[in-house]
Amino acid sequence: MSLKPTTPKGTRDFSSKVLSKRNYLKMILQKAFESFAFEPLETPSFERLTTLMGKYGDEGDRLIFKILNSGDKLKKVDLNSLKNNNLKEFSNSLSEKALRYDLTVPFARYVAGNQNDLIFPFRRYQIQNVWRADRPQHGRFQEFCQCDADIVGERSLLQEVEMIFLYDRVFFDLKLEEVTIKVNHRKILEGIVKLIGNENQLIDFTVAVDKIDKIGVEGVEDELLSKGFTADSINKIKPIINLKGDFDKMLLDLEILFKNIPDGLKGLEELRFVFNKIKNIGLKSLKLSFDLTLARGLNYYTGMIVEVNGPSNVKMGSIGGGGRYDDLTSSFGMKDMSGIGISFGFDRIYLILEDLDLFPDNIVNNTQILFLNLGAESSDIALNSLGKLRSLGIACEIYPSEIKMSKQLNYANKKNISFVVIIGDEELKNKKFTLKDMFSGEQNKYLLVDLIKTLEKTSKV
C-alpha cells in the first residue's frame, strides 16, 4: 500500500519560486539587522525541556513540542503518575528535550552560558525556525520562521526607541505601507490591576486581555470572571482600557488614575520618553499607536511592549511583537541582566507581500542560458563553456540527453529560460553558434570564438 505524499498539518514544502521570495525577505531583514549593528547567532533546534518550561505561562507551555525519550531513557517513565491520573507529570517523565518555542529563551540561555565571552550591551539577531503545537490556520503554522533582534545588558530607553526604528526601517525597505505599531507598558497594566484591587493577578489579567482580538470584550470578561475577578472590578477596568485618542491626553488621564500607584506612573514616564524621541525624529512608514488593550501574554515582559499589525485591507494577525524583559536570564543563574527584544513574523509578512504583489519581479533565480545537446562535439563545447559562464555569475545548464531539438526547446519554455545556445552540424562547420531568444523567438549567429563574450553581454541585457 503506497503512502499518501502529504506533510504534517501546520508544515509546508517550499518550491524554488517560493524560496527565492523567502530569501529576498531574509536578505531585507538581515541587511536591516546588520545596519543596526546586530550580530548573527544560531541556537539548536531543540533545548532541554527544563530550559523552556515555565517561561511562557501555562498556555504557552501546553504548545511546546516535546521530544519522546528513546532507548534506556524510557526506563525513567513515571508510571505512578499515570496511575494517579497526573498526566502532566507522566508527560514530563516521557521527555527531557523539546523543540524550541521561540528564540528569546534560548537566547537568554546562551547569554547566561557565555557571559564571560560577550561584550555588553550585546546585540544579536537570529533567523531560525520555531515550533508550536498550535491549531493550524491561515497565517498560523506549527513550524515557522522567526526573526528576532535583542539587546541585553543595558536598561537605557534609547534601546526601546531603536527597536521601533528597526521596525520602521524594515517595513520601509519592503515598501509595505499602512503598518501600525501598537505600544503599551507592563507597568501600566500592573497599575490597572492594582487600581482595581487585583494586584496578585497580573498574569491572569494580561493573558485574558491579550486575547481581546480573538475572543472579543465579552470573551475577555468571561475569562476574567472564571479567574476570580468580580463583576465590579471588571466594570472598573472597561473605561480604562477603552481610553482612546491623543497620546498626551491619554497619559494625562492615566496619571490622574495612577496618582498613588508608582509603578503605573513609572510606565507612563517611560512611554512618554519613547514617544517624544520618536516624534522628534519621525518615522518613515510606521504609524505609532498607544493601545491599553495590548498585553503580550508571555510572562517574561516587564517594561514597554509592542505589537505590529499589517495593512487593514489584508486579513492577518500581528506581524511582529516584543518588549522589555528584566529578569529572563535569572532562571539560568544570571541576575540583573535587562534586555529588550522584538520579533518579525516572517511567514505572515511573506503572505502579506505575496497578497499585495510587493515582491520584485526579478528575484526568481531561473536558468538564463540553456545549451542544447546536439552531439558529442556540441556537448564538449558546452561543457567547456559552462564553467567560464558560471564563474561570471551566469546561471546556465546543458540538456543532459541528446534528444529531439523540439523536446529540448519545450524544456526551455517550461522553465522560462531566456536564451538557448544551438551548436549543430551546420554551426560546427562554420565555426559559429546560434543564440535563440526564447521570449521573442529571434535567432542570431555568432562566431564560436566570441561565445563567452557574447553570452556575458547578452545575460546583462
Side-chain angles (χ1 to χ4, degrees):
M1 181 177 175
S2 60
L3 294 172
K4 190 176 180 180
T6 57
T7 61
K9 282 187 177 180
T11 65
R12 298 147 294 161
D13 294 318
F14 298 121
S15 67
S16 58
K17 184 177 180 181
V18 171
L19 277 175
S20 294
K21 294 178 180 179
R22 289 174 69 86
N23 288 338
Y24 165 79
L25 177 52
K26 284 182 182 177
M27 178 198 69
I28 294 289
L29 286 159
Q30 187 172 334
K31 286 175 80 171
F33 289 149
E34 293 180 355
S35 72
F36 275 67
F38 288 93
E39 301 174 19
L41 176 71
E42 289 191 355
T43 58
S45 55
F46 57 89
E47 297 275 349
R48 294 180 184 275
L49 185 59
T50 51
T51 296
L52 303 179
M53 294 295 287
K55 310 298 190 306
Y56 310 107
D58 290 341
E59 296 204 9
D61 285 352
R62 283 197 290 271
L63 300 181
I64 292 174
F65 269 111
K66 297 175 182 177
I67 300 173
L68 186 66
N69 285 339
S70 59
D72 290 340
K73 290 186 177 180
L74 279 174
K75 295 176 183 177
K76 297 180 180 180
V77 173
D78 185 358
L79 294 176
N80 288 328
S81 60
L82 183 61
K83 291 175 184 176
N84 297 329
N85 205 31
N86 190 335
L87 297 181
K88 184 176 181 180
E89 286 294 324
F90 175 69
S91 173
N92 289 340
S93 73
L94 284 171
S95 173
E96 295 178 1
K97 297 184 286 288
L99 295 175
R100 59 172 174 249
Y101 176 92
D102 71 352
L103 300 178
T104 304
V105 171
F107 172 60
R109 187 263 308 150
Y110 173 85
V111 170
N114 296 273
Q115 56 187 288
N116 295 328
D117 301 319
L118 300 177
I119 299 171
F120 294 102
F122 177 53
R123 306 164 73 96
R124 88 81 170 83
Y125 77 88
Q126 198 168 341
I127 304 176
Q128 286 187 281
N129 279 1
V130 298
W131 293 263
R132 295 182 188 177
D134 213 344
R135 183 172 64 87
Q137 52 187 292
H138 180 64
R140 188 183 297 275
F141 307 98
Q142 293 193 337
E143 178 187 42
F144 56 97
C145 182
Q146 216 170 51
C147 309
D148 283 13
D150 286 75
I151 310 171
V152 293
E154 262 285 345
R155 285 188 170 86
S156 169
L157 293 175
L158 289 178
Q159 294 171 340
E160 272 78 344
V161 176
E162 281 265 84
M163 291 304 197
I164 293 174
F165 280 128
L166 176 55
Y167 270 132
D168 189 49
R169 158 70 186 274
V170 168
F171 293 115
F172 178 79
D173 287 350
L174 291 171
K175 299 178 174 60
L176 186 56
E177 299 175 347
E178 296 184 31
V179 175
T180 300
I181 180 166
K182 299 189 294 185
V183 178
N184 200 2
H185 201 291
R186 290 288 280 217
K187 291 191 183 302
I188 293 174
L189 296 171
E190 287 178 28
I192 292 173
V193 293
K194 286 181 179 179
L195 192 65
I196 63 171
N198 292 76
E199 59 187 276
N200 295 323
Q201 291 184 275
L202 174 63
I203 299 302
D204 291 333
F205 175 67
T206 55
V207 168
V209 173
D210 194 49
K211 300 175 185 174
I212 197 165
D213 290 336
K214 299 175 186 175
I215 62 178
V217 175
E218 289 186 5
V220 171
E221 289 178 18
D222 290 340
E223 181 158 336
L224 290 174
L225 286 170
S226 71
K227 295 294 185 180
F229 285 73
T230 65
D232 183 52
S233 63
I234 292 172
N235 286 331
K236 290 178 182 177
I237 291 170
K238 284 196 284 187
I240 301 172
I241 63 173
N242 286 330
L243 281 173
K244 304 290 182 187
D246 178 75
F247 172 70
D248 290 321
K249 184 181 182 305
M250 289 177 68
L251 282 188
L252 289 174
D253 290 341
L254 289 168
E255 281 176 346
I256 294 169
L257 290 170
F258 292 159
K259 61 182 179 181
N260 296 317
I261 303 174
D263 285 342
L265 292 173
K266 179 68 173 174
L268 296 175
E269 178 190 340
E270 292 191 358
L271 279 195
R272 179 179 280 112
F273 176 90
V274 172
F275 268 72
N276 285 341
K277 291 292 183 184
I278 298 293
K279 185 178 179 180
N280 289 339
I281 300 171
L283 297 171
K284 293 179 179 179
S285 63
L286 285 179
K287 296 177 182 176
L288 192 60
S289 168
F290 181 25
D291 189 341
L292 286 168
T293 65
L294 175 61
R296 303 294 296 171
L298 298 178
N299 287 358
Y300 51 66
Y301 290 121
T302 56
M304 186 190 82
I305 48 177
V306 299
E307 190 166 279
V308 184
N309 292 109
S312 58
N313 61 335
V314 180
K315 189 177 181 181
M316 188 67 67
S318 65
I319 58 174
R324 166 72 61 177
Y325 47 86
D326 281 335
D327 56 2
L328 192 59
T329 58
S330 63
S331 59
F332 303 107
M334 190 178 187
K335 306 289 185 183
D336 300 319
M337 181 58 65
S338 184
I340 182 170
I342 61 170
S343 180
F344 291 82
F346 184 93
D347 293 275
R348 290 185 175 185
I349 294 170
Y350 174 94
L351 291 172
I352 291 175
L353 296 176
E354 181 89 334
D355 194 49
L356 297 178
D357 196 24
L358 291 176
F359 283 109
D361 295 329
N362 60 349
I363 59 173
V364 178
N365 298 317
N366 287 333
T367 302
Q368 293 173 268
I369 297 168
L370 171 70
F371 285 83
L372 298 191
N373 191 331
L374 301 174
E377 191 174 352
S378 170
S379 62
D380 283 347
I381 294 172
L383 288 171
N384 186 54
S385 304
L386 288 171
K388 297 174 183 177
L389 292 169
R390 288 165 180 165
S391 68
L392 295 170
I394 300 170
C396 52
E397 60 179 292
I398 180 174
Y399 196 85
S401 302
E402 186 184 345
I403 60 173
K404 288 182 179 180
M405 185 186 294
S406 59
K407 289 188 175 181
Q408 296 186 52
L409 290 172
N410 187 43
Y411 170 81
N413 277 325
K414 286 181 177 178
K415 286 194 69 177
N416 291 318
I417 296 173
S418 302
F419 297 96
V420 162
V421 175
I422 302 168
I423 309 174
D425 292 338
E426 183 184 342
E427 283 85 4
L428 289 169
K429 181 181 177 181
N430 296 309
K431 295 184 179 180
K432 292 186 176 182
F433 70 95
T434 299
L435 184 63
K436 181 179 177 68
D437 186 323
M438 294 302 292
F439 295 109
S440 69
E442 183 181 350
Q443 291 187 184
N444 291 294
K445 292 187 186 300
Y446 303 90
L447 292 174
L448 270 175
V449 292
D450 295 330
L451 187 146
I452 301 299
K453 182 172 65 176
T454 303
L455 295 182
E456 182 183 9
K457 183 179 179 180
T458 300
S459 69
K460 293 178 180 177
V461 176

